[in-house]
Amino acid sequence: MKFLDQAKIYIRSGNGGAGSVSFRREKFIPNGGPDGGDGGRGGHVWIEAVDGLNTLIDYRYQQHFKAQTGHHGQGRQMHGAKGEDVVLKVPVGTQVLDEDKETVLLDMDEPGKLVKLLSGGNGGWGNVHFKGPVNQAPRHANPGQEGQEKWIWLRLKLIADVGLAGLPNAGKSTFLAAASAARPKIADYPFTTLTPNLGVVDLSSTERFVIADIPGLIEGASEGAGLGTRFLGHVERTASLIHLVDGTQDDVAAAWRTIRTELEAYGEGLGEKAEILALNKIDALSPELREEKAAELEAVAGRRPMLVSGVSGEGVPELLRAAWAEVRKNRGEIPTEEEATEETQGGWNP
């Protein structure tokens, strides 16, 4: 299945059915009077977030969605049936944007969330509603109300707890395969990963979180270079970022600085997210070179990086444990450093 994270679609609710002009004509009933029924309501347009979907590919081949028109009224005061609704099923995490592609109308961030996008038109009244002492035989009825129409954008932002960031060939896909059951494409050339991948990390039966591998950024990505920043929206909801730096390259400090620059240029709070820094591919480094590269990273980042290898598995459990701690902080299960400091300084007051 192809990955598609944005689509533009046209939606239209159904028109209301027209009211009926009819008169009761039966044998031995000389004064039957009007008996035209009302038209039915037009169909609504709904959107629903469902589990089991992770792409908007269904909206690649069908862009127009129209609800059914309400049925017209008939004689003998028979009202028309309402038109069938249209339900757009989207993955959890999908945002609904206006036609300008900037104004967020809805955020379908919970499974089972169901929201009405457009209301169907009301059905028209039949002539039975217009009878009275003055006009005892009305010969007109109301037409159905027009439905609503709109162009909208659907933009998917995958819901993951932790995001993987790093330059192309930093070993993100290898790390994801080592940490979860995901099997992303792995090769020895840049831009192997062209679409985001999700993996579920199971530390134990009660310790589980979702990790997202985002396609590699390069210098100038915020200006459209490489794959640009199109896929960075998928880590906006994450609790933290694991920043993998390839330990086999010459300048690890420049690699770290490049990614940090692009994250801050993108905005949306990515630059302020908790970052777990890791020096990857240490299986290819000697102990002396490991220490040298780690010291370079520590000098530029201001903190000691963790040493990991997606190939040998060295350091992977410790890194996942650190990520799990950040996930628990985001979920409110354990206090953050600021909250812990406030509790220590505040003490107990009678």
Side-chain angles (χ1 to χ4, degrees), residues 131-143:
K131 66 180 179 180
V134 176
N135 187 7
Q136 297 182 4
R139 296 184 176 273
H140 70 276
N142 284 345

Side-chain angles (χ1 to χ4, degrees), residues 207-338:
E207 298 171 314
R208 172 180 294 181
F209 62 94
V210 179
I211 191 168
D213 171 20
I214 305 302
L217 295 172
I218 62 173
E219 186 175 358
S222 59
E223 300 173 358
L227 296 176
T229 58
R230 173 179 174 182
F231 296 115
L232 277 183
H234 297 290
V235 296
E236 289 181 21
R237 307 175 191 267
T238 59
S240 60
L241 297 174
I242 294 178
H243 188 167
L244 294 180
V245 179
D246 184 357
T248 61
Q249 58 188 349
D250 297 332
D251 195 344
V252 293
W256 177 86
R257 197 177 295 110
T258 297
I259 296 299
R260 292 303 306 175
T261 300
E262 299 305 326
L263 291 176
E264 292 168 4
Y266 179 81
E268 302 296 335
L270 292 189
E272 289 76 38
K273 286 188 179 294
E275 180 190 66
I276 304 172
L277 182 58
L279 183 67
N280 197 19
K281 302 184 181 180
I282 61 172
D283 57 288
L285 303 177
S286 63
E288 296 78 13
L289 200 54
R290 290 184 185 185
E291 185 60 33
E292 179 183 340
K293 297 288 186 180
E296 291 179 18
L297 269 182
E298 185 177 8
V300 68
R303 58 186 179 279
R304 182 76 176 176
M306 303 185 72
L307 304 180
V308 299
S309 170
V311 174
S312 66
E314 183 180 354
V316 171
E318 291 78 9
L319 180 56
L320 295 178
R321 282 290 173 187
W324 172 242
E326 293 296 335
V327 171
R328 293 187 64 195
K329 289 179 183 178
N330 186 63
R331 295 176 180 176
E333 297 177 0
I334 58 176
T336 61
E337 295 181 2
E338 293 78 5

Side-chain angles (χ1 to χ4, degrees), residues 39-287:
R41 169 186 61 79
H44 301 317
V45 178
W46 302 81
I47 186 169
E48 181 181 9
V50 297
D51 279 328
L53 293 178
N54 57 8
T55 176
L56 296 172
I57 192 64
D58 292 338
Y59 302 95
R60 169 66 177 83
Y61 304 103
Q62 181 183 358
Q63 290 87 33
H64 293 76
F65 299 87
K66 301 178 182 179
Q68 188 181 30
T69 298
H71 294 265
H72 303 313
Q74 300 181 39
R76 298 189 178 181
Q77 297 190 32
M78 289 190 293
H79 303 315
K82 65 180 181 180
E84 292 185 6
D85 296 345
V86 167
V87 181
L88 307 176
K89 296 185 181 297
V90 297
V92 179
T94 301
Q95 290 182 329
V96 180
L97 288 79
D98 207 349
E99 191 174 0
D100 59 9
K101 209 178 178 180
E102 294 181 358
T103 306
V104 179
L105 304 177
L106 287 173
D107 193 356
M108 309 299 291
D109 55 352
E110 297 179 2
K113 188 174 183 179
L114 182 66
V115 180
K116 185 195 298 182
L117 292 177
L118 297 179
S119 297
N122 293 324
W125 279 355
N127 66 339
V128 70
H129 286 277
F130 300 99
K131 66 180 179 180
V134 176
N135 187 7
Q136 297 182 4
R139 296 184 176 273
H140 70 276
N142 284 345
Q145 185 182 25
E146 288 285 326
Q148 302 171 320
E149 59 182 1
K150 193 177 187 64
W151 282 94
I152 60 172
W153 280 91
L154 299 178
R155 182 173 64 190
L156 173 61
K157 292 185 178 180
L158 296 176
I159 296 182
D161 298 303
V162 178
L164 282 177
L167 289 172
N169 266 17
K172 299 186 297 298
S173 297
T174 304
F175 176 82
L176 181 65
S180 68
R183 291 296 173 261
K185 182 179 179 181
I186 300 173
D188 59 352
Y189 54 85
F191 296 107
T192 306
T193 303
L194 298 177
T195 59
N197 292 307
L198 289 180
V200 178
V201 178
D202 282 311
L203 297 177
S204 70
S205 59
T206 59
E207 298 171 314
R208 172 180 294 181
F209 62 94
V210 179
I211 191 168
D213 171 20
I214 305 302
L217 295 172
I218 62 173
E219 186 175 358
S222 59
E223 300 173 358
L227 296 176
T229 58
R230 173 179 174 182
F231 296 115
L232 277 183
H234 297 290
V235 296
E236 289 181 21
R237 307 175 191 267
T238 59
S240 60
L241 297 174
I242 294 178
H243 188 167
L244 294 180
V245 179
D246 184 357
T248 61
Q249 58 188 349
D250 297 332
D251 195 344
V252 293
W256 177 86
R257 197 177 295 110
T258 297
I259 296 299
R260 292 303 306 175
T261 300
E262 299 305 326
L263 291 176
E264 292 168 4
Y266 179 81
E268 302 296 335
L270 292 189
E272 289 76 38
K273 286 188 179 294
E275 180 190 66
I276 304 172
L277 182 58
L279 183 67
N280 197 19
K281 302 184 181 180
I282 61 172
D283 57 288
L285 303 177
S286 63

